[in-house]
Amino acid sequence: MRIVIALGGNALLRRGEPLSAENQRENIRRACAQIARVAPGNELVVAHGNGPQVGLLALQGAAYKEVPSYPLDVLGAETEGMIGYIIEQELGNVLPFEVPFATLLTQVEVDPQDPAFQAPSKPIGPVYSREEAQRLAEQRGWSIAPDGDHFRRVVPSPRPKRIFEIRPISWLLEKGCVVICAGGGGIPTVYDQQGRLQGVEAVIDKDLCSALLAEQLGADLLVIATDVDGAYLDWGTAQQRRIVEAHPEQLERLGFAAGSMGPKVEAACQFARHTGKVAVIGSLEQIEAIVRGEAGTHVSLAATGLRHA
């Protein structure tokens, strides 16, 4: 099977952990140990988040006053290289030596008229107290928003339209390469009025880009790996129940939170609807069972009802 695995932010950094290289490597090591279990006999593409890493680079850049801060598209490219390097290394430590790996910088076209540019919503960087977040917003002109009990910087998150490197990704897969790409939702780019491609100040949602990636690659399965074992009905209550299987239309009616499960559900529904294939939302620790069809929340057009555990 050709499988696209979209790693959630928890695969790189757990909530509340310091943004150290050691913490990120340890989390990626655990993620790669799970991914390696489904590598034999399959074509693998790994996408990943980068919100905390982009935010950290932005903070570090702001401390250097000699030049203007680097734009988000450049920071996104930097994090694709950094995270891809660690994923390649840790996968290489658990898979046979002859398995090749490649990390591709991935440019993704967005619409410059996307309404997201007028309503920043994508959280990046570390979490702050309300007071600290408000101070930084005033100092640096940031938009901030609640994130659980804390606050984070938010930036525009336009929808992905096209992945420019889709052909070389396909070529690498055909040669048996494990490909790491579309990190952080890809590098957001637009065509200017002269038809020149350039970066734009935004961060694309990783799950929506992963769905587009899986669709354009003709993937057999999209796995959206996170820190919970699926999407839930009545989440956070004594009546919560994991959704085992659902049709996209049924799942979309449930109204999941925009800042957490919402984009994952939207991405899974988009892939299932556009391809007729299966998308699964589930825990990284259960990835073998997910690929076997035994774990997670399965979203497909073949589902005849909403079934829960």
Side-chain angles (χ1 to χ4, degrees):
M1 280 198 301
R2 179 170 288 186
I3 305 172
V4 172
I5 300 174
L7 295 177
N10 63 290
L12 308 178
L13 193 76
R14 298 178 186 275
R15 181 174 291 275
E17 281 185 333
L19 283 161
S20 69
E22 293 78 10
N23 284 338
Q24 292 177 73
R25 180 174 289 276
E26 181 57 34
N27 287 323
I28 289 173
R29 182 179 294 123
R30 287 195 289 264
C32 288
Q34 299 299 322
I35 293 170
R37 296 175 183 270
V38 298
N42 293 312
E43 295 180 344
L44 287 189
V45 180
V46 180
H48 58 81
N50 72 344
Q53 290 76 19
V54 164
L56 176 62
L57 288 180
L59 284 172
Q60 291 173 336
Y64 182 61
K65 306 297 184 183
E66 301 302 317
V67 297
S69 296
Y70 279 24
L72 287 175
D73 61 299
V74 173
L75 300 182
E78 291 180 7
T79 61
E80 282 193 346
M82 176 188 73
I83 295 168
Y85 155 67
I86 302 175
I87 292 175
E88 281 193 36
Q89 201 168 71
E90 294 303 331
L91 272 177
N93 286 333
V94 289
L95 287 175
F97 179 78
E98 59 270 19
V99 176
F101 306 94
T103 297
L104 264 67
L105 289 176
T106 313
Q107 299 182 89
V108 177
E109 184 183 3
V110 300
D111 184 349
Q113 303 305 316
D114 192 305
F117 286 107
Q118 307 304 318
S121 63
K122 183 70 174 175
I124 65 169
V127 296
Y128 303 103
S129 67
R130 178 188 296 271
E131 294 74 18
E132 188 176 12
Q134 289 176 339
R135 177 179 59 81
L136 289 169
E138 292 172 2
Q139 288 179 350
R140 298 175 180 171
W142 289 357
S143 297
I144 60 169
D147 185 10
D149 296 330
H150 297 82
F151 287 78
R152 289 175 77 186
R153 179 188 177 188
V154 289
V155 299
S157 183
R159 297 185 68 86
K161 292 177 56 182
R162 174 168 50 164
I163 298 170
F164 286 99
E165 287 77 13
I166 204 73
R167 287 183 298 164
I169 295 170
S170 297
W171 298 335
L172 286 165
L173 286 173
E174 291 165 5
K175 293 296 184 180
C177 191
V178 176
V179 184
I180 299 100
C181 61
I187 304 164
T189 55
V190 299
Y191 284 104
D192 65 15
Q193 293 181 345
Q194 287 73 45
R196 295 174 300 191
L197 192 65
Q198 61 183 22
V200 65
E201 194 78 350
V203 172
I204 302 168
D205 182 82
K206 172 264 304 174
D207 296 311
L208 293 179
C209 186
S210 296
L212 180 62
L213 174 69
E215 178 183 342
Q216 293 187 347
L217 286 175
D220 301 294
L221 178 67
L222 169 63
V223 178
I224 300 176
T226 183
D227 56 353
V228 294
D229 60 352
Y232 274 73
L233 296 168
D234 301 317
W235 172 254
T237 72
Q239 291 77 40
Q240 70 178 32
R241 295 146 290 162
R242 179 175 61 86
I243 300 168
V244 175
E245 183 182 52
H247 189 280
E249 290 186 7
Q250 295 169 314
L251 206 56
E252 287 172 333
R253 294 193 198 109
L254 298 177
F256 292 90
S260 54
M261 189 56 69
K264 295 172 175 55
V265 166
E266 183 180 358
C269 292
Q270 174 182 305
F271 176 75
R273 184 176 283 117
H274 289 181
T275 67
K277 297 176 182 176
V278 178
V280 187
I281 302 168
S283 169
L284 182 65
E285 284 71 23
Q286 295 179 315
I287 195 156
E288 274 188 293
I290 286 173
V291 171
R292 291 196 304 265
E294 300 169 358
T297 295
H298 291 244
V299 185
S300 76
L301 297 179
T304 56
L306 190 150
R307 186 162 57 90
H308 59 79

